């Protein structure tokens, strides 16, 4: 069993008369980790078609519960940090963003041992660019704690 880490985009002619696949190369930026290989994940595009959210999947060994954001204009890719409660790791699930609500819904799937049932997670994605990159919240909390300690010592 082979899990792939490649990415392709479908280029469709404006009039819809033709389409062709081409390789795409999302850029996580210097020093940032890129999205690991996966299968059986789910992805949803925002209503304005500017961003793509990718959640979970299977890496060949276990189900995942990471959330990635791909800017479809720049092809910049970020791993997002989401405050708990986060959905449990899953594959073979579905995601969607409907209408103007700008809520990403995650539900269903398989956790590697049994089907995931009865849960639906939502995330407000009204402003995808403002969502924190994984770890940035922890770093900020550490910086805030350090400032507080410095102020106490002063």
């Amino acid at each position: 069993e082979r899990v792939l880490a490649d990415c392709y985009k479908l280029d469709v002619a404006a009039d819809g008369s033709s389409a062709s696949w081409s390789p795409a190369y999302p850029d996580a930026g210097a020093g940032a980790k890129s999205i690991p290989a996966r299968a059986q994940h789910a992805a949803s595009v925002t209503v304005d078609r500017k961003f793509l959210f990718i959640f979970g999947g299977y890496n060949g060994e276990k189900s995942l519960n990471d959330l990635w954001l791909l800017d479809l204009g720049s092809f910049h890719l970020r791993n997002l940090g989401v405050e708990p409660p986060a959905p449990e790791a899953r594959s073979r699930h579905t995601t969607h963003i409907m209408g103007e609500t700008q809520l990403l819904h995650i539900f269903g799937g398989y956790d590697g041992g049994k089907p995931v049932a009865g849960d639906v997670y939502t995330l407000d994605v009204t402003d995808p660019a403002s969502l924190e990159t994984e770890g940035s919240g922890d770093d900020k909390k550490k910086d805030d704690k350090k400032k507080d300690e410095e102020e106490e010592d002063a």
Side-chain angles (χ1 to χ4, degrees):
E1 187 173 319
R2 194 174 95 177
V3 176
L4 303 174
D6 54 359
C7 180
Y8 286 83
K9 63 180 179 174
L10 182 62
D11 298 307
V12 181
D15 64 1
S17 63
S18 64
S20 62
W21 288 103
S22 61
Y25 304 98
D27 176 24
K33 69 177 183 175
S34 190
I35 190 168
R38 66 191 56 222
Q40 304 169 6
H41 53 283
S44 292
V45 175
T46 55
V47 175
D48 62 9
R49 298 182 180 156
K50 292 182 180 180
F51 297 93
L52 174 74
F53 287 90
I54 304 162
F55 180 79
Y58 178 72
N59 70 2
E61 296 178 12
K62 65 180 182 176
S63 293
L64 307 168
N65 75 331
D66 52 351
L67 180 64
W68 294 82
L69 176 66
L70 178 63
D71 181 317
L72 295 173
S74 66
F75 260 68
H76 180 74
L77 180 69
R78 297 190 293 140
N79 184 210
L80 298 178
V82 179
E83 292 185 21
E88 67 183 274
R90 63 189 69 205
S91 58
R92 305 179 202 167
H93 55 288
T94 188
T95 64
H96 69 260
I97 301 171
M98 292 178 51
E100 298 303 316
T101 61
Q102 294 298 309
L103 294 175
L104 174 68
H105 301 272
I106 300 170
F107 57 94
Y110 182 75
D111 71 2
K114 65 182 179 337
V116 177
D119 65 350
V120 176
Y121 286 85
T122 59
L123 177 66
D124 185 346
V125 295
T126 303
D127 186 8
S130 72
L131 295 172
E132 288 190 15
T133 301
E134 182 180 58
S136 62
D138 291 339
D139 292 342
K140 183 177 181 334
K141 288 176 190 171
K142 288 177 190 173
D143 290 343
D144 289 348
K145 184 177 180 183
K146 185 176 179 181
K147 284 180 190 174
D148 290 345
E149 289 171 357
E150 288 171 356
E151 288 174 4
E152 287 175 10
D153 292 341

